[in-house]
Each structure stands twice: as C-alpha cells, then as structure tokens.
Amino acid sequence: MSIKIKSMDVRLFHVPLTEILIDSLHGVHTHFDLITCTLVTEDGVEGTGYTYTGGRGGYSIASMINKDLRNYVIDVEIEKPTELKYKLEKALHYVGRGGILSFAVSAIDIAVWDIFTKKAGKPIYEYLGHTRKPIRTYYGGIDLGYTKEKLLSSIESQIKKGHNAVKIKVGKDDYREDIDRMKAVRELLGNDTIFMIDANMVWDLETAKIMCREAEKLNVLWIEEPMNPDDILSYKELAEYSNVPLAMGENLHTFFEHKHAIEIGKITYPEPDASNIGGITGYLEIADLAKKHGLTVSSHGMQELHVGLLSAVDNPGYMEYHSFPIDMYTTYPLVIKDGTIIPDDKPGIGVTFDWNKLKDYKIEF
C-alpha cells in the first residue's frame, strides 16, 4: 500500500493552562504550544499529526513544517509509514539535527502513520501486530512552584482520579527543601506506592549524588534528568554510584542520543517523546533499542498518543500522564482506572482533535 499526499494544513495553537505551572529549568508555564499538521491523500484519506512545546518555539516549528518541509511532502509517493521521516531529516540535517527539525518531522511522521492505519482500518497497536491492553500510568506534575501543602493536596486529588503512581518536580535552590518535600510525599503515599522525582537537569554531579542517597531512603523508583543530558559521562558515574535508577528521554531528540544514554550513561528507564524523537517511527526505534538492552520503554508527555504506542510494543514501561492536558481537546479524553489507561480502539493513531475546543486558541504565524 502506498499513498501520495495532495495537501497539507499546518495550525498553531496557544492553549492556556488552568493555573501557572513551574519547573526548575524552564520556569513559568502559562500555556502550551500545540502544532498540528493535517495531510490529505489523493484519494481523500486524512491524517493529523502534532507536536507540542512548553509555550515557546511553536512559531518556528509551524513555519518549518509549512515552508521548509512542505515541498518534501506534497506529491511524494510514500510506500510505508516509516520512510518519510528519514528523507525529511536528511533534507534539513545541516541546520536542524536534534533541534526544531525533530519536532517538525515528528508532526509529519505522526500524520503519515494516521493515514496508513486508517487506510488499513486498524488502530495503531493492531496495525503493528498487538492487541489493545491497559497501560500503566503515573501522574507527572509540574509542581515545583506549589507550596508543600498544595503539593500534597494535588497528589491526593490525582490519587482520587485513579492514579496509583506519582512523580514530582525537584530542583529547588536549596536541595534540602526538595528532601523535605520528598519526605512529605512519601509519608502521604505510604511506602508501597510508586514515587518518582524529576530534576529537569539542574543539578551538578555532587548534588545529584546527595539526592540519590536521599531518594534511596525514600524508596524512589527513579530519578529523572538529574543533570544536563549532554554530560553523558557524569550520567555514567552517577549510575554506577546510585542504587536508584536513572530516567531520561524528553531532551534526547535523535536515535544516537538515546543509544548513548543507554549504553554509556547507563539509563535504566528510557523515556522517548514521540513529539520530538521523529514521531511514531522514532518512538518505535527507541522502544526496539530498549528491548535489545533488556529494558522497558516509557514515555514523556502526549499521553493520548503514547497509550496506543505502548500497547504496540513488546516492552511497555510507564506512561507519563503529563500536566499539559492535550487529550482534553480530543474526541477520546483518557480515563484512568486503577493506575492504567486503555487506548482508543478506532482506526488510526488514537488521537482525533475536537477543533471546536481549540478554535479560540488558534494563532496566525
């Protein structure tokens, strides 16, 4: 089965958050950028892909798709859903490798997969030879700006919604405040509930070692992005020092960055994000890489898409239920039950946007 794309429609939305969210690296989030790419084939089949950011860079991504990549997509014969990703990456490799290009290519790749799975009449997991199954999830809060009292209240609210695993942000100016918050969360959860922490890359190696010791005392499942992901040798040293596994992925935008993180940095929990690793094609590559190293593959963000992808791999780990609620703007809002979520069973990638819900947030670019 091959397809030929006849039209492309790129849209940019600034979607407001219900409250200001803060993390240690990016600071304040008031909204998230949602960039969609809708492709239509010559026989009228439509597929929509997308990517997102924390509220910055959306104009550049949308412009790259619309202006720089359009001519590599329109009227091009595509025989399998994986092939266009590599052509697009090659075309703009010199100026875009691992940067904005990774987000732009991801949106197009996801749209192509949406078309192929719709033409096959199968949801993504069935198209890839798997069956629909519940996926373990955890709530990933962007909660560093919360008081300790609000942090605990937020976690209690998420537990009531069906979550039985949570991750909090750390990275306060004084790491002792992080430790105090971590102890309070563990006390609230009890010792058996899954608990992770995410430092958003702000620690140096020595601080990371201190926090690994403290995390071990509190039975933390993983420490996510303790340091700059480019400092792969420090990850190796930390992994060899720590009894708490390390997780990373959202800031790794190429296959080789993930490969180095696993093989050199000794990451235990790879967390690719299909929005910036080359879409579904890139995500499946990292899942296969993890499998070859005896690891599960988890995810970062865009839970409405990743729930179907984790159903489509042999080694599903944990799916992050992110604080950017993209699924609330789709026709299949996710339902959490006993810490798991089941993907949509309709043909396609499992994500269909409700454009009426988004219309007020559309931005011209």
Side-chain angles (χ1 to χ4, degrees), residues 170-171 178 197 199 201-205 207-208 211 223 226-228:
V170 290
D178 287 324
I197 60 173
M201 310 182 288
V202 299
W203 292 332
D204 58 25
L205 180 57
T207 303
M211 296 304 292
I223 299 177
M227 302 169 294
N228 188 315

Side-chain angles (χ1 to χ4, degrees), residues 319-339:
M319 183 185 75
E320 181 181 38
Y321 193 98
H322 197 269
S323 295
F324 295 168
I326 300 174
D327 70 291
M328 298 307 298
Y329 299 92
T330 74
T331 59
Y332 186 78
L334 301 179
V335 176
I336 309 135
K337 184 178 180 180
D338 298 326

Side-chain angles (χ1 to χ4, degrees), residues 239-360:
E240 292 171 347
Y241 172 86
S242 176
N243 290 320
V244 180
L246 305 182
M248 181 164 62
E250 69 192 82
N251 284 288
L252 306 178
H253 299 163
T254 73
F255 173 83
F256 286 102
E257 288 175 348
H258 279 275
K259 187 173 188 291
H260 294 158
I262 292 172
E263 296 180 356
I264 301 172
K266 307 302 180 183
I267 298 303
T268 302
Y269 288 97
E271 303 171 300
D273 187 331
S275 76
N276 61 38
I277 189 55
I280 292 172
T281 301
Y283 187 93
L284 295 175
E285 284 183 328
I286 307 309
D288 186 58
L289 174 69
K291 180 182 175 182
K292 289 176 180 176
H293 286 82
L295 303 174
T296 61
V297 64
S298 294
S299 67
H300 169 268
M302 59 191 326
Q303 53 267 19
E304 63 290 334
L305 177 68
H306 286 137
V307 66
L309 297 189
L310 285 164
S311 283
V313 300
D314 295 327
N315 53 330
Y318 288 94
M319 183 185 75
E320 181 181 38
Y321 193 98
H322 197 269
S323 295
F324 295 168
I326 300 174
D327 70 291
M328 298 307 298
Y329 299 92
T330 74
T331 59
Y332 186 78
L334 301 179
V335 176
I336 309 135
K337 184 178 180 180
D338 298 326
T340 66
I341 297 177
I342 298 177
D344 196 356
D345 61 356
K346 297 181 181 63
I349 60 169
V351 182
T352 302
F353 286 103
D354 185 335
W355 301 112
N356 283 329
K357 291 181 179 178
L358 286 166
K359 63 182 180 180
D360 292 340

Side-chain angles (χ1 to χ4, degrees), residues 198-240:
D198 181 356
N200 284 112
M201 310 182 288
V202 299
W203 292 332
D204 58 25
L205 180 57
E206 293 310 310
T207 303
K209 287 181 176 181
I210 292 171
M211 296 304 292
C212 283
R213 294 195 296 269
E214 295 297 327
E216 183 179 359
K217 296 174 188 176
L218 297 171
N219 192 26
V220 168
L221 178 65
W222 76 52
I223 299 177
E224 185 170 329
E225 287 195 324
M227 302 169 294
N228 188 315
D230 293 329
D231 189 3
I232 202 67
L233 294 181
S234 286
Y235 270 87
K236 179 178 185 294
E237 182 174 340
L238 184 63
E240 292 171 347

Side-chain angles (χ1 to χ4, degrees), residues 129-193:
H130 288 258
T131 58
R132 191 185 193 202
K133 56 181 175 281
I135 298 301
R136 293 181 299 176
T137 188
Y138 69 89
Y139 181 71
I142 304 178
D143 46 27
L144 193 67
Y146 289 0
T147 63
K148 184 167 69 174
E149 291 71 26
K150 185 175 181 180
L151 172 64
L152 298 177
S153 175
S154 172
I155 291 171
E156 287 180 320
S157 173
Q158 294 302 326
I159 296 296
K160 289 177 182 178
K161 291 178 181 179
H163 288 289
N164 57 21
V166 297
K167 184 181 75 182
I168 68 167
K169 296 292 188 184
V170 290
K172 291 285 190 179
D173 291 338
D174 184 344
Y175 67 79
R176 289 170 295 188
E177 187 176 351
D178 287 324
I179 295 170
D180 180 60
R181 290 160 68 91
M182 289 160 57
K183 288 179 178 178
V185 171
R186 177 47 83 195
E187 182 177 355
L188 173 68
L189 296 175
N191 197 51
D192 295 329
T193 300

Side-chain angles (χ1 to χ4, degrees), residues 34-36 48-51 106-107 110 275 302 304-305 326 351 353:
L34 175 67
I35 305 95
T36 65
T48 296
Y50 65 108
T51 185
S106 295
I110 293 167
S275 76
M302 59 191 326
E304 63 290 334
L305 177 68
I326 300 174
V351 182
F353 286 103

